[in-house]
Amino acid sequence: MTTNNSVLKWVEKIKEIVNPENVVWIDGSEEQLNNLREEACEKGEIIQLNQEKLPGCYLRRTNPNDVARTESRTFICTKTKDEAGPTNNWWAPEYAYDKLYKIARGSYKGKTMYVIPYAMGIPGSKFSKIGIEITDSIYTVLNMAIMTRVGKEILDNLGDSEEWVRGLHCSCDVDEENRYVCHFPQDNAIISVNSCYGGNVLLGKKCFALRIASYQGKNENWMAEHMLILGIQPPSGEIKYICAAFPSACGKTNLAMLIPPEIYKKAGYKIWCVGDDIAWLRIGKDGRLWAVNPENGFFGVAPGTNEKSNPNALKSTSKNTIFTNVVQNLDDNTVWWEGMDNNPPENAIDWLGNKWNGKLSDKKGAHPNSRFTSPAKNCPCISPEFDNPEGVPISAIIFGGRRAQTTPLVYQSFDWNHGVFVGSAISSESTAASTGKVGVLSHNPMAMMPFCGYNMGDYFKHWIKMGKLLGDKAPKIFGVNWFRVDEDGKFIWPGFGDNIRVLEWILKRCDNKIDAKNTAIGYMPFENDINLEESGVSKETLKKLLNIDKNLWMKELDSIKEFYKIFGDNLSKDLENELNKLKSRLENM
Ligand code: OXD
Ligand code: MN
């Protein structure tokens, strides 16, 4: 399929290590993918679902020990520990290669080695990057064929270039004691062993498009961010685009596919989804910041997705989707998960492969991190600009977290550096679903803590530098919090579609159409400037949502200061400066 020497040599080298029975190059044709689907069904790797109700859909159950990303076993392997920084696990590259090649050696015996050429971004565009993943898992091939653009065309685009990311995945025995996901940003290489879970083995996603790409971006003056991208079309017509970063469990996919409430729909508002997880951001010819979604599909969390919370995501899963670790309804061979509806199947199989009666069982049927892998084109509100090789121009960047108190519904940073400070200070409270303990606060700067492929102190400096390069063309930066609660612990903001009310204020601020209050933490809305019509939210509640409690913010300041200590001398002076400025503004409050 290619004459590219660097590719052929690497494939040969890996073949010698893993020792497969045979080698198959993925050409991207439907015919080849169909044959693989059939083969995987025969081997029991995937299960074909009801093709009338769910055309092109399949189900996969992973090993119960292999259901999520394994952050403690994820490593950044740079020459020095300092290059990986204080927030990453680090191994020396020689040590990691040696250890992982030993695990990989001979592990494809009797198996097929699949070689997947793929592009992150639009093939042929100067914004896109190419990777090649070798895997022994058909499930991985089929997922990659949804999440990225794969096939021969990608190799044709690559030509003789040596600039591509080498990715090796070995399922091995799915042994959690020997599971490792290692990144070699200085070699453009990734090795993942002993897992078959998406986040660990779809190497184009977190591994390449965030960890390796963030390092490339630092060296090439662009940014790879854990951000959704959406377009808002107001009644007047011109679509404006925003990026938003939130830690897990803050409703990122829901915001990316937001359905406006009736009153906004009637007025003519529309939301267009460009991406739900990753944004590659570059400075365009016009000096503005432009974003592309490097992915081609959604790898979304299934539980909680329903007609009300996210009808667009639900519709995205109606065809050509791979479900992982959800419930199989045996009556009609379809799928179900907690939070889909109030009608769990009685004759079903749970994610562990056991018989399951949803009406009687007190155990969950779907794993809380069960997933759907769906083509982005399935989404009813996918942006017409999704395939635009230039991407979309970004007017605003939003940072958010899940905070019961302290952070208001929305505020605007005073300028770019202050906005970088707001992003660096994101922290979020855990939910019962993820830890069993509610309200544990953890810092997750720019929601990139698990995904930054180099020293996070340098990453902050890179953000500051991008602001200098953008100058007065820089997007405005905002903080949001959809999760404030009252004295009884009840959410006081409706969230979901009603978040458009906040986006509306943000866009008005970007267009200089509206004034704002100058507060200690940033610019904030005047109470009449957030449209509450038909929201069910009273003026009093809005007041609470926008309230700044000096004592809580003083505590917040201490928490940020404590967190910043891990960066030592490498903390950007600009951020230290922002911290001091916030302190004095709060003291004068
Ligand atoms: C994801 C994540 O799977 O952020 O997107 O964990
Ligand atoms: Mn994510």
Side-chain angles (χ1 to χ4, degrees), residues 69 197 205-206 226 248 277 299 371 451:
R69 286 185 291 102
Y197 168 75
K205 193 175 179 60
K206 304 299 189 184
H226 190 203
S248 305
D277 196 40
F299 183 61
R371 298 272 174 157
F451 307 119

mmCIF file of all heavy atoms in Angstrom, residues 69 197 205-206 226 248 277 299 371 451, ligand 1:
data_model
loop_
_atom_site.group_PDB
_atom_site.id
_atom_site.type_symbol
_atom_site.label_atom_id
_atom_site.label_comp_id
_atom_site.label_asym_id
_atom_site.label_seq_id
_atom_site.Cartn_x
_atom_site.Cartn_y
_atom_site.Cartn_z
ATOM 1 N N ARG A 69 -9.693 4.379 31.282
ATOM 2 C CA ARG A 69 -8.288 4.767 31.092
ATOM 3 C C ARG A 69 -7.540 4.508 32.398
ATOM 4 O O ARG A 69 -8.089 4.674 33.481
ATOM 5 C CB ARG A 69 -8.179 6.243 30.733
ATOM 6 C CG ARG A 69 -8.615 6.567 29.318
ATOM 7 C CD ARG A 69 -8.385 8.015 28.965
ATOM 8 N NE ARG A 69 -9.266 8.893 29.703
ATOM 9 C CZ ARG A 69 -8.932 9.606 30.765
ATOM 10 N NH1 ARG A 69 -7.687 9.567 31.231
ATOM 11 N NH2 ARG A 69 -9.810 10.361 31.381
ATOM 12 N N TYR A 197 -9.356 -1.478 26.168
ATOM 13 C CA TYR A 197 -10.355 -0.436 26.412
ATOM 14 C C TYR A 197 -10.056 0.785 25.518
ATOM 15 O O TYR A 197 -8.897 1.224 25.424
ATOM 16 C CB TYR A 197 -10.364 -0.020 27.891
ATOM 17 C CG TYR A 197 -11.168 1.249 28.082
ATOM 18 C CD1 TYR A 197 -12.559 1.198 28.043
ATOM 19 C CD2 TYR A 197 -10.546 2.486 28.187
ATOM 20 C CE1 TYR A 197 -13.308 2.359 28.127
ATOM 21 C CE2 TYR A 197 -11.294 3.659 28.283
ATOM 22 C CZ TYR A 197 -12.664 3.585 28.248
ATOM 23 O OH TYR A 197 -13.402 4.732 28.315
ATOM 24 N N LYS A 205 -6.696 9.072 19.740
ATOM 25 C CA LYS A 205 -7.500 9.973 20.571
ATOM 26 C C LYS A 205 -6.661 10.660 21.636
ATOM 27 O O LYS A 205 -5.919 11.592 21.358
ATOM 28 C CB LYS A 205 -8.674 9.171 21.166
ATOM 29 C CG LYS A 205 -9.741 10.043 21.774
ATOM 30 C CD LYS A 205 -10.931 9.214 22.232
ATOM 31 C CE LYS A 205 -12.002 10.056 22.871
ATOM 32 N NZ LYS A 205 -12.595 11.093 22.032
ATOM 33 N N LYS A 206 -6.757 10.189 22.885
ATOM 34 C CA LYS A 206 -6.045 10.886 23.971
ATOM 35 C C LYS A 206 -4.528 10.841 23.760
ATOM 36 O O LYS A 206 -3.817 11.808 24.045
ATOM 37 C CB LYS A 206 -6.399 10.265 25.318
ATOM 38 C CG LYS A 206 -7.885 10.242 25.634
ATOM 39 C CD LYS A 206 -8.477 11.599 25.696
ATOM 40 C CE LYS A 206 -9.913 11.538 26.231
ATOM 41 N NZ LYS A 206 -10.546 12.849 26.215
ATOM 42 N N HIS A 226 -8.253 19.738 25.317
ATOM 43 C CA HIS A 226 -9.357 18.849 25.666
ATOM 44 C C HIS A 226 -10.643 19.686 25.676
ATOM 45 O O HIS A 226 -11.175 19.985 26.745
ATOM 46 C CB HIS A 226 -9.053 18.243 27.052
ATOM 47 C CG HIS A 226 -9.964 17.139 27.465
ATOM 48 N ND1 HIS A 226 -10.165 16.799 28.780
ATOM 49 C CD2 HIS A 226 -10.724 16.288 26.743
ATOM 50 C CE1 HIS A 226 -11.000 15.785 28.842
ATOM 51 N NE2 HIS A 226 -11.358 15.461 27.634
ATOM 52 N N SER A 248 -14.060 15.594 33.316
ATOM 53 C CA SER A 248 -15.097 14.578 33.109
ATOM 54 C C SER A 248 -16.305 14.847 34.009
ATOM 55 O O SER A 248 -16.161 15.449 35.067
ATOM 56 C CB SER A 248 -14.567 13.191 33.460
ATOM 57 O OG SER A 248 -13.418 12.948 32.730
ATOM 58 N N ASP A 277 -14.832 16.646 22.114
ATOM 59 C CA ASP A 277 -13.786 16.234 23.059
ATOM 60 C C ASP A 277 -12.438 16.922 22.847
ATOM 61 O O ASP A 277 -11.771 17.248 23.819
ATOM 62 C CB ASP A 277 -13.610 14.712 22.977
ATOM 63 C CG ASP A 277 -12.841 14.143 24.159
ATOM 64 O OD1 ASP A 277 -13.072 14.602 25.292
ATOM 65 O OD2 ASP A 277 -12.007 13.247 23.956
ATOM 66 N N PHE A 299 -16.734 9.167 21.050
ATOM 67 C CA PHE A 299 -16.559 8.022 21.948
ATOM 68 C C PHE A 299 -17.201 8.467 23.252
ATOM 69 O O PHE A 299 -16.541 8.948 24.163
ATOM 70 C CB PHE A 299 -15.065 7.727 22.094
ATOM 71 C CG PHE A 299 -14.754 6.524 22.945
ATOM 72 C CD1 PHE A 299 -15.206 5.264 22.587
ATOM 73 C CD2 PHE A 299 -13.986 6.646 24.085
ATOM 74 C CE1 PHE A 299 -14.905 4.153 23.370
ATOM 75 C CE2 PHE A 299 -13.681 5.540 24.871
ATOM 76 C CZ PHE A 299 -14.139 4.291 24.511
ATOM 77 N N ARG A 371 -19.736 2.809 26.800
ATOM 78 C CA ARG A 371 -19.536 3.820 25.759
ATOM 79 C C ARG A 371 -20.256 3.508 24.466
ATOM 80 O O ARG A 371 -20.593 2.354 24.189
ATOM 81 C CB ARG A 371 -18.027 3.887 25.441
ATOM 82 C CG ARG A 371 -17.156 4.302 26.622
ATOM 83 C CD ARG A 371 -17.025 5.780 26.684
ATOM 84 N NE ARG A 371 -16.324 6.253 27.864
ATOM 85 C CZ ARG A 371 -15.714 7.436 27.923
ATOM 86 N NH1 ARG A 371 -15.716 8.243 26.891
ATOM 87 N NH2 ARG A 371 -15.130 7.823 29.028
ATOM 88 N N PHE A 451 -3.803 14.655 30.275
ATOM 89 C CA PHE A 451 -3.584 14.614 28.826
ATOM 90 C C PHE A 451 -2.448 15.492 28.318
ATOM 91 O O PHE A 451 -2.200 15.547 27.119
ATOM 92 C CB PHE A 451 -4.879 15.004 28.093
ATOM 93 C CG PHE A 451 -6.074 14.190 28.515
ATOM 94 C CD1 PHE A 451 -7.188 14.789 29.085
ATOM 95 C CD2 PHE A 451 -6.077 12.813 28.367
ATOM 96 C CE1 PHE A 451 -8.291 14.042 29.485
ATOM 97 C CE2 PHE A 451 -7.172 12.050 28.762
ATOM 98 C CZ PHE A 451 -8.281 12.661 29.323
HETATM 99 C C1 OXD B 1 -12.914 10.850 27.620
HETATM 100 C C2 OXD B 1 -12.316 11.370 28.852
HETATM 101 O O1 OXD B 1 -13.100 9.631 27.505
HETATM 102 O O2 OXD B 1 -12.069 12.568 28.916
HETATM 103 O O3 OXD B 1 -13.198 11.659 26.732
HETATM 104 O O4 OXD B 1 -12.045 10.586 29.760
#
